[in-house]
Amino acid sequence: MTNTKQTLGKVPFIIFLGLISSGGPIATDIFLPSLPEMPAYFGVSAAAVNLILTAYFFSQAVGILLVGPFSDRHGRKKPLGACLAMYIIGGLICALGNSVWVVIAARVLAGFGGGGLMALSMALVKECFDGETRQNSLLAVSAITTCAPLVAPLLGAAILTFADWRGTFTAQAIIGLAALPFYLRINETLAPEDRTTGSALSTFKGMGSMLKSGPLMLMVITTSLCALGVLAYVTSASYIYIDLFQLPQIGYSIFFSINALMGVVFTVLAPKVLKKVSAQNLVTASYILTTLGGLTCFFVGGLSPFVFLGCTLLIVSINGATRPVAVNLALDMHDGDTGSLSSLINFTFTMMGCLGSLLISLPWPNYIFGLGVMAATASGVALVLWTIMRKAKHI
């Protein structure tokens, strides 16, 4: 580890980073098996219940945007503790909520905390690791994060065998509590002399300079476009498997988890592939495959749950395995203001995901049709932008 002041070893430290990075997937995926029955429980429309997801995504985006620059000024550990507390408390309030609107409000609190955890996780990786070690650390954290959607829906479905949706939110809070022992042992990674100074508003000047950098912003947007398809899939998967394919909740959870499992496998294989293929070529290949996945979903994804799974392996799992590689290239494009850069990358990705969550709710002929259109379009545009950047030698 570059930062020798850490009391945690490299492996426990990466496990901790994986836990706090997994906050978002856990908070969304663990209660997805209960999503189709929640409209009847609360006596509201499916669109109103979907706001539970959308509210979390938007609040997460705000947390990402604000917490990173704030930590550049005040250090990493105190904001990290505050965000972890919001994530845990938000989950507990959701579990106690007596109306859909209370749950939505609590999701705003949990989302802000979860977003801050995401931003700080990436900042800690950049500050504590260098070069190839940082790239491999990002992939390791990504592998842990990818395990969240593998375990969360199965755990959610298991909880529903003896409890209702409240149990899934309680589990979210408990998982947040699991990160506390690690948090208590880490040291501050940003020395006082390395922090931004001046007024509170000046804290965001570093992000302002990034927004003016054309190549960097093009890179950030390109690496975030595939979130449209990923979050559209997360939002619609339970409806597709349970309502369209008529699978039971456990069947949905198994298919969803297989997708996540393959994401872990692809992420583990990525460092080996990178020994033979450049990072730039690997990312190019991933955009081609993701575009093909969207097109395949559009044309034949509705034939069976197995065909749909094959399509989403390309849309979701391939992208999840290669995005850390692209993000590492983005981190190399700017020095300093690590928290702000981390916030910008994660904020853009999250906002693209929010857009995907909203667009998939449009009156498409069916969810599979909409997912195919969105994934193919977003990945195709990303491929074009990536090719432009490579020809311009920005990466």
Side-chain angles (χ1 to χ4, degrees):
M1 294 176 65
T2 301
N3 191 333
T4 58
K5 295 184 291 183
Q6 282 303 324
T7 55
L8 281 176
K10 179 180 177 181
V11 173
F13 190 64
I14 288 177
I15 292 174
F16 170 69
L17 295 176
L19 274 175
I20 63 175
S21 296
S22 300
I26 290 172
T28 54
D29 298 342
I30 198 169
F31 85 101
L32 286 179
S34 63
L35 197 60
E37 64 185 43
M38 291 179 77
Y41 183 95
F42 287 116
V44 297
S45 66
V49 169
N50 281 345
L51 288 175
I52 296 175
L53 280 171
T54 306
Y56 186 93
F57 293 148
F58 273 109
S59 181
Q60 177 178 267
V62 174
I64 289 170
L65 185 64
L66 297 182
V67 172
F70 182 85
S71 70
D72 283 339
R73 179 182 174 86
H74 298 284
R76 311 296 184 205
K77 185 163 185 178
K78 289 181 179 179
L80 188 61
C83 290
L84 189 57
M86 284 187 281
Y87 181 79
I88 295 169
I89 294 170
L92 292 175
I93 296 175
C94 283
L96 298 173
N98 56 8
S99 78
V100 69
W101 306 111
V102 171
V103 174
I104 290 170
R107 293 286 283 177
V108 171
L109 177 65
F112 187 93
L117 293 176
M118 290 176 62
L120 291 168
S121 172
M122 187 176 292
L124 290 171
V125 169
K126 185 173 183 183
E127 288 171 346
C128 295
F129 303 102
D130 293 320
E132 183 178 345
T133 303
R134 186 178 70 201
Q135 177 175 267
N136 290 338
S137 297
L138 283 169
L139 285 166
V141 171
S142 178
I144 296 172
T145 304
T146 307
C147 285
L150 167 64
V151 176
L154 290 174
L155 178 60
I159 290 171
L160 290 176
T161 62
F162 61 86
D164 61 8
W165 58 269
R166 298 176 189 275
T168 62
F169 288 112
T170 303
Q172 171 200 321
I174 293 173
I175 293 169
L177 285 168
L180 274 179
F182 295 94
Y183 166 75
L184 294 174
R185 290 192 59 197
I186 67 169
N187 294 329
E188 177 60 60
T189 62
L190 187 63
E193 61 271 18
D194 295 329
R195 300 175 189 178
T196 58
T197 57
S199 65
L201 186 61
S202 67
T203 303
F204 294 88
K205 284 185 176 179
M207 188 173 292
S209 67
M210 296 174 203
L211 292 172
K212 295 176 183 178
S213 172
L216 179 60
M217 285 307 303
L218 190 61
M219 181 70 161
V220 170
I221 292 171
T222 301
T223 58
S224 301
L225 274 169
C226 286
L228 280 167
V230 172
L231 269 297
Y233 166 75
V234 169
T235 302
S236 62
S238 60
Y239 296 105
I240 292 172
Y241 281 115
I242 296 174
D243 293 340
L244 182 61
F245 290 127
Q246 296 293 299
L247 296 181
Q249 290 174 333
I250 190 64
Y252 150 71
S253 298
I254 291 172
F255 273 95
F256 195 90
S257 297
I258 289 173
N259 202 317
L261 175 62
M262 293 309 299
V264 175
V265 172
F266 294 149
T267 303
V268 171
L269 292 176
K272 298 180 180 180
V273 175
L274 286 168
K275 292 180 180 180
K276 300 180 179 180
V277 179
S278 70
Q280 292 83 351
N281 286 339
L282 180 62
V283 175
T284 300
S286 74
Y287 288 145
I288 293 173
L289 290 173
T290 308
T291 303
L292 290 175
L295 292 172
T296 306
C297 183
F298 174 81
F299 287 109
V300 298
L303 293 179
S304 77
F306 296 98
V307 174
F308 180 70
L309 173 64
C311 299
T312 56
L313 286 177
L314 296 176
I315 295 172
V316 180
S317 301
I318 293 290
N319 177 65
T322 56
R323 184 172 181 267
V325 179
V327 166
N328 188 53
L329 294 172
L331 290 173
D332 282 334
M333 294 177 69
H334 188 86
D335 293 324
D337 299 309
T338 302
S340 296
L341 179 57
S342 176
S343 285
L344 183 62
I345 292 172
N346 282 297
F347 173 78
T348 308
F349 182 82
T350 303
M351 289 306 296
M352 288 290 184
C354 289
L355 183 60
S357 178
L358 289 174
L359 291 178
I360 196 63
S361 298
L362 293 176
W364 302 98
N366 57 65
Y367 280 122
I368 294 177
F369 180 96
L371 177 60
V373 171
M374 291 170 59
T377 302
S379 300
V381 172
L383 177 61
V384 171
L385 294 178
W386 185 260
T387 303
I388 291 172
M389 285 190 293
R390 292 197 66 178
K391 289 186 176 180
K393 301 188 183 300
H394 292 316
I395 50 176

